[in-house]
Amino acid sequence: MHPYSLKSSKGAPFPPRPILVVLIAIFGFYVCYISFNQITLENRYEENSGEVQAEIHCRKPRLPHEELRYVHFPKPESYSRGECSCNPVRSFVLVSMQRSGSGWFETLLNSHPNISSNGEIFNRVDRRENISSILQTLDKLYNLDWFTSAAKNECTAAFGLKWMLNQAEILAKFKPVLDVSNLIPNIRNAEKYIRDCLDHFNTIRHMILYYEDIVRNRNALFQVQEFLGVPVRKLVSRQVKIHTSPLPGLVRNWDDVSNKLNGTQYAHFLDGADYVR
Ligand SMILES: *[C@@H]1O[C@H](CO)[C@@H](O)[C@H](O)[C@H]1NC(C)=O
Ligand SMILES: *[C@@H]1O[C@H](CO)[C@@H](O)[C@H](O)[C@H]1NC(C)=O
Ligand SMILES: *[C@@H]1O[C@H](CO)[C@@H](O)[C@H](O)[C@H]1NC(C)=O
């Protein structure tokens, strides 16, 4: 089994607003990518001038100038990148809520020969205990010295990890009863949570992707690949959908929920077009 799968955070404490998580499970909220290669880039520039020369030499032929600050040229210690040593590499982080389809999305990304997304590498405490263990982990990752089932050949051009916003994992209860009286305020809270998160990433290059985008819009995955600067191709995944019945069959008190949301700005949550069929 994949060592970094979602399941490994099972047993974490129940969050105060379970309903929030259930809502997320049902509607699938968002995934945003942040390219935070600033951290690693800063370090690289401080290395000796010989290496900087080599990097400048590498950079020239391939990239428009404004792209330079988003890429780096890793020097893995455990192998040589060979003919790809001058292929620029982008770093990314997938920031996501639980149960929002990010695991599926990650398998789609990993079907690309030049993308390697390595799951929740920070779900092990020793890797996030203090800033030096975090930096050490990131250095290893962005030097392409990190090996998981997602590892590719030396021509990886986009390399990243996944970070869950709320680490407490609740596997979707098959038929939850939603707290109808607090439904609207809870949705508002979830929206605020998302807005606040995005505020933090204002100044960082990112893109926002909704689960529904991937399901309904064929171009969404092309835009992702353009964002990551890899050759665009068709992405595939072998993941199967867990919840296959229509929404009304998934929530025990669906009629109440439906009555509550009907006529509000959240009525579109009732469509569940993804689940029909
Ligand atoms: C993607 O991978 C292929 C095969 O390894 C390689 O030939 C190509 O140069 C890579 N593309 C980029 C943009 O790194
Ligand atoms: C940081 O955490 C690592 C891994 O647990 C540990 O070995 C190291 O001593 C810690 N460093 C500091 C400065 O606390
Ligand atoms: C929403 O309310 C309208 C009017 O009360 C009704 O006609 C419609 O069937 C309701 N829709 C759902 C999904 O319950």
Side-chain angles (χ1 to χ4, degrees):
M1 195 185 161
H2 194 285
Y4 303 115
S5 74
L6 273 175
K7 312 288 183 295
S8 49
S9 40
K10 216 190 295 187
F14 211 70
R17 289 191 298 258
I19 180 166
L20 192 149
V21 178
V22 171
L23 278 172
I24 288 155
I26 294 171
F27 303 126
F29 267 123
Y30 74 110
V31 176
C32 58
Y33 300 80
I34 298 99
S35 144
F36 70 72
N37 41 38
Q38 285 91 326
I39 298 175
T40 35
L41 266 185
E42 299 299 318
N43 294 341
R44 301 289 170 271
Y45 287 138
E46 284 160 17
E47 283 163 14
N48 70 58
S49 58
E51 280 187 27
V52 174
Q53 283 306 319
E55 288 184 7
I56 289 166
H57 174 74
C58 274
R59 276 188 225 136
K60 269 191 179 150
R62 297 169 201 256
L63 277 181
H65 188 261
E66 64 274 14
E67 299 271 304
L68 282 182
R69 65 197 187 100
Y70 298 124
V71 303
H72 67 294
F73 298 85
K75 296 193 174 49
E77 280 165 16
S78 41
Y79 62 98
S80 157
R81 287 192 77 208
E83 61 186 21
C84 298
S85 58
C86 276
N87 282 23
V89 174
R90 276 161 223 259
S91 321
F92 63 89
V93 180
L94 276 166
V95 180
S96 168
M97 298 279 223
Q98 306 291 352
R99 315 297 311 152
S100 63
S102 64
W104 170 56
F105 178 62
E106 206 175 33
T107 60
L108 284 170
L109 285 183
N110 279 329
S111 75
H112 193 295
N114 301 106
I115 304 179
S116 172
S117 186
N118 295 273
E120 288 179 72
I121 65 167
F122 283 107
N123 61 4
R124 263 181 48 186
V125 177
D126 58 330
R127 294 182 187 144
R128 56 178 147 90
E129 202 154 56
N130 51 48
I131 186 66
S132 50
S133 53
I134 290 177
L135 288 180
Q136 217 173 2
T137 304
L138 286 179
D139 273 352
K140 197 168 167 191
L141 184 76
Y142 292 130
N143 258 333
L144 304 190
D145 271 324
W146 194 273
F147 300 107
T148 66
S149 55
K152 298 280 158 58
N153 60 22
E154 57 278 6
C155 282
T156 298
F159 212 82
L161 60 100
K162 191 167 77 167
W163 189 290
M164 284 300 162
L165 273 182
N166 47 342
Q167 279 289 341
E169 148 93 345
I170 298 179
L171 271 182
K173 292 209 174 64
F174 222 63
K175 278 205 168 193
V177 176
L178 296 195
D179 171 3
V180 176
S181 56
N182 288 319
L183 191 56
I184 303 266
N186 278 327
I187 297 178
R188 287 220 179 91
N189 280 342
E191 287 183 333
K192 180 172 184 314
Y193 192 78
I194 291 166
R195 268 198 313 274
D196 289 350
C197 159
L198 291 178
D199 278 350
H200 290 302
F201 296 124
N202 252 342
T203 56
I204 298 173
R205 183 170 181 262
H206 68 274
M207 92 179 259
I208 299 172
L209 190 66
Y210 290 89
Y211 171 80
E212 287 79 0
D213 293 339
I214 317 179
V215 172
R216 291 175 196 162
N217 175 2
R218 298 198 169 279
N219 290 329
L221 289 174
F222 295 155
Q223 287 156 7
V224 169
Q225 294 172 73
E226 279 159 16
F227 178 86
L228 292 175
V230 296
V232 173
R233 46 148 52 216
K234 192 173 181 314
L235 304 182
V236 295
S237 170
R238 284 180 208 206
Q239 284 222 338
V240 292
K241 204 162 181 348
I242 297 172
H243 302 292
T244 49
S245 50
L247 276 178
L250 218 59
V251 176
R252 208 184 300 259
N253 57 340
W254 178 255
D255 289 344
D256 298 342
V257 172
S258 169
N259 286 337
K260 190 78 180 184
L261 294 184
N262 192 2
T264 73
Q265 56 177 309
Y266 303 118
H268 61 279
F269 287 154
L270 300 172
D271 299 346
D274 161 38
Y275 291 84
V276 186
R277 265 184 295 171

Short mmCIF file of all heavy atoms in Angstrom, two decimals, residues 58-73 86-90 229:
data_model
loop_
_atom_site.label_atom_id
_atom_site.label_comp_id
_atom_site.label_asym_id
_atom_site.label_seq_id
_atom_site.Cartn_x
_atom_site.Cartn_y
_atom_site.Cartn_z
N CYS A 58 22.57 26.67 -18.07
CA CYS A 58 21.42 25.80 -18.28
C CYS A 58 20.17 26.59 -18.63
O CYS A 58 19.40 26.19 -19.48
CB CYS A 58 21.10 25.01 -17.01
SG CYS A 58 22.03 23.49 -16.84
N ARG A 59 19.97 27.69 -17.93
CA ARG A 59 18.69 28.37 -18.04
C ARG A 59 18.49 29.00 -19.41
O ARG A 59 17.41 29.07 -19.88
CB ARG A 59 18.64 29.49 -17.00
CG ARG A 59 18.21 29.02 -15.65
CD ARG A 59 18.01 30.21 -14.79
NE ARG A 59 18.60 30.01 -13.49
CZ ARG A 59 19.32 30.91 -12.87
NH1 ARG A 59 19.57 32.08 -13.46
NH2 ARG A 59 19.80 30.67 -11.69
N LYS A 60 19.58 29.47 -19.98
CA LYS A 60 19.43 30.34 -21.13
C LYS A 60 18.54 29.79 -22.24
O LYS A 60 17.60 30.44 -22.62
CB LYS A 60 20.81 30.74 -21.66
CG LYS A 60 21.26 32.02 -21.00
CD LYS A 60 22.47 32.60 -21.68
CE LYS A 60 22.85 33.90 -20.98
NZ LYS A 60 24.28 34.15 -21.04
N PRO A 61 18.87 28.61 -22.72
CA PRO A 61 18.21 28.24 -23.97
C PRO A 61 16.70 28.05 -23.88
O PRO A 61 16.01 28.27 -24.85
CB PRO A 61 18.90 26.93 -24.35
CG PRO A 61 19.65 26.47 -23.15
CD PRO A 61 19.76 27.60 -22.22
N ARG A 62 16.17 27.63 -22.70
CA ARG A 62 14.83 27.08 -22.75
C ARG A 62 13.70 27.98 -22.27
O ARG A 62 12.57 27.78 -22.64
CB ARG A 62 14.77 25.79 -21.93
CG ARG A 62 15.68 24.73 -22.50
CD ARG A 62 15.79 23.59 -21.52
NE ARG A 62 16.99 22.82 -21.77
CZ ARG A 62 17.01 21.64 -22.36
NH1 ARG A 62 15.89 21.09 -22.72
NH2 ARG A 62 18.15 21.01 -22.58
N LEU A 63 14.00 28.92 -21.39
CA LEU A 63 12.89 29.54 -20.66
C LEU A 63 12.75 31.03 -20.89
O LEU A 63 13.74 31.75 -20.92
CB LEU A 63 13.11 29.34 -19.15
CG LEU A 63 12.67 28.04 -18.54
CD1 LEU A 63 12.95 28.08 -17.06
CD2 LEU A 63 11.21 27.78 -18.78
N PRO A 64 11.51 31.51 -21.00
CA PRO A 64 11.31 32.96 -20.98
C PRO A 64 11.71 33.52 -19.61
O PRO A 64 11.56 32.83 -18.60
CB PRO A 64 9.81 33.13 -21.22
CG PRO A 64 9.20 31.79 -21.01
CD PRO A 64 10.26 30.77 -21.17
N HIS A 65 12.22 34.74 -19.62
CA HIS A 65 12.81 35.29 -18.41
C HIS A 65 11.88 35.28 -17.21
O HIS A 65 12.26 34.96 -16.10
CB HIS A 65 13.32 36.70 -18.69
CG HIS A 65 14.11 37.27 -17.56
ND1 HIS A 65 13.56 38.14 -16.64
CD2 HIS A 65 15.38 37.04 -17.15
CE1 HIS A 65 14.47 38.44 -15.73
NE2 HIS A 65 15.59 37.79 -16.03
N GLU A 66 10.61 35.62 -17.43
CA GLU A 66 9.69 35.74 -16.29
C GLU A 66 9.39 34.40 -15.64
O GLU A 66 8.85 34.32 -14.55
CB GLU A 66 8.40 36.46 -16.70
CG GLU A 66 7.54 35.74 -17.72
CD GLU A 66 7.97 36.04 -19.16
OE1 GLU A 66 9.07 36.57 -19.35
OE2 GLU A 66 7.19 35.72 -20.09
N GLU A 67 9.75 33.32 -16.32
CA GLU A 67 9.51 31.99 -15.74
C GLU A 67 10.65 31.56 -14.82
O GLU A 67 10.49 30.65 -14.02
CB GLU A 67 9.41 30.95 -16.87
CG GLU A 67 8.29 31.19 -17.84
CD GLU A 67 7.00 30.53 -17.38
OE1 GLU A 67 7.03 29.31 -17.15
OE2 GLU A 67 5.99 31.23 -17.23
N LEU A 68 11.79 32.23 -14.92
CA LEU A 68 12.99 31.75 -14.23
C LEU A 68 12.81 31.60 -12.73
O LEU A 68 13.33 30.67 -12.13
CB LEU A 68 14.17 32.69 -14.51
CG LEU A 68 14.83 32.50 -15.87
CD1 LEU A 68 16.00 33.44 -16.01
CD2 LEU A 68 15.27 31.06 -16.06
N ARG A 69 12.07 32.54 -12.12
CA ARG A 69 12.01 32.46 -10.67
C ARG A 69 11.13 31.32 -10.18
O ARG A 69 11.07 31.04 -9.00
CB ARG A 69 11.54 33.79 -10.08
CG ARG A 69 10.14 34.18 -10.44
CD ARG A 69 9.95 35.66 -10.16
NE ARG A 69 8.57 36.06 -10.32
CZ ARG A 69 7.72 36.22 -9.31
NH1 ARG A 69 8.12 36.01 -8.08
NH2 ARG A 69 6.49 36.59 -9.54
N TYR A 70 10.46 30.65 -11.08
CA TYR A 70 9.62 29.53 -10.66
C TYR A 70 10.29 28.18 -10.84
O TYR A 70 9.69 27.14 -10.56
CB TYR A 70 8.30 29.53 -11.44
CG TYR A 70 7.48 30.77 -11.20
CD1 TYR A 70 7.06 31.57 -12.24
CD2 TYR A 70 7.13 31.11 -9.90
CE1 TYR A 70 6.31 32.71 -12.02
CE2 TYR A 70 6.38 32.25 -9.67
CZ TYR A 70 5.97 33.05 -10.73
OH TYR A 70 5.23 34.17 -10.50
N VAL A 71 11.50 28.16 -11.34
CA VAL A 71 12.13 26.87 -11.61
C VAL A 71 13.46 26.74 -10.89
O VAL A 71 14.03 27.73 -10.45
CB VAL A 71 12.36 26.66 -13.13
CG1 VAL A 71 11.06 26.78 -13.89
CG2 VAL A 71 13.40 27.63 -13.65
N HIS A 72 13.93 25.52 -10.77
CA HIS A 72 15.29 25.32 -10.30
C HIS A 72 15.88 24.09 -11.01
O HIS A 72 15.18 23.38 -11.73
CB HIS A 72 15.35 25.18 -8.78
CG HIS A 72 14.69 23.97 -8.23
ND1 HIS A 72 13.35 23.75 -8.30
CD2 HIS A 72 15.20 22.89 -7.61
CE1 HIS A 72 13.05 22.60 -7.73
NE2 HIS A 72 14.16 22.04 -7.30
N PHE A 73 17.18 23.91 -10.80
CA PHE A 73 17.87 22.82 -11.48
C PHE A 73 18.46 21.88 -10.42
O PHE A 73 19.57 22.10 -9.92
CB PHE A 73 18.98 23.37 -12.39
CG PHE A 73 18.44 24.25 -13.47
CD1 PHE A 73 18.21 25.60 -13.23
CD2 PHE A 73 18.13 23.74 -14.71
CE1 PHE A 73 17.68 26.42 -14.21
CE2 PHE A 73 17.60 24.54 -15.71
CZ PHE A 73 17.37 25.89 -15.45
N CYS A 86 19.69 19.79 -17.46
CA CYS A 86 19.36 21.19 -17.76
C CYS A 86 17.86 21.38 -17.99
O CYS A 86 17.44 22.45 -18.40
CB CYS A 86 20.15 21.69 -18.96
SG CYS A 86 21.79 22.27 -18.48
N ASN A 87 17.07 20.36 -17.73
CA ASN A 87 15.61 20.55 -17.76
C ASN A 87 15.18 21.23 -16.47
O ASN A 87 15.40 20.70 -15.39
CB ASN A 87 14.89 19.20 -17.87
CG ASN A 87 14.92 18.64 -19.27
OD1 ASN A 87 15.79 19.00 -20.05
ND2 ASN A 87 13.99 17.77 -19.57
N PRO A 88 14.57 22.41 -16.58
CA PRO A 88 14.14 23.10 -15.36
C PRO A 88 13.04 22.31 -14.65
O PRO A 88 12.24 21.63 -15.28
CB PRO A 88 13.59 24.43 -15.88
CG PRO A 88 13.25 24.18 -17.29
CD PRO A 88 14.20 23.14 -17.80
N VAL A 89 13.04 22.40 -13.31
CA VAL A 89 12.03 21.70 -12.52
C VAL A 89 11.24 22.70 -11.71
O VAL A 89 11.80 23.63 -11.13
CB VAL A 89 12.71 20.68 -11.57
CG1 VAL A 89 11.68 20.04 -10.63
CG2 VAL A 89 13.43 19.60 -12.37
N ARG A 90 9.94 22.54 -11.70
CA ARG A 90 9.07 23.38 -10.87
C ARG A 90 8.67 22.61 -9.62
O ARG A 90 8.46 21.40 -9.70
CB ARG A 90 7.80 23.73 -11.63
CG ARG A 90 7.93 24.90 -12.53
CD ARG A 90 6.82 24.87 -13.56
NE ARG A 90 7.38 25.22 -14.85
CZ ARG A 90 7.28 26.41 -15.40
NH1 ARG A 90 6.58 27.35 -14.79
NH2 ARG A 90 7.84 26.67 -16.54
N GLY A 229 4.09 23.80 -16.25
CA GLY A 229 5.13 23.91 -17.26
C GLY A 229 5.60 22.58 -17.81
O GLY A 229 6.76 22.41 -18.16
#
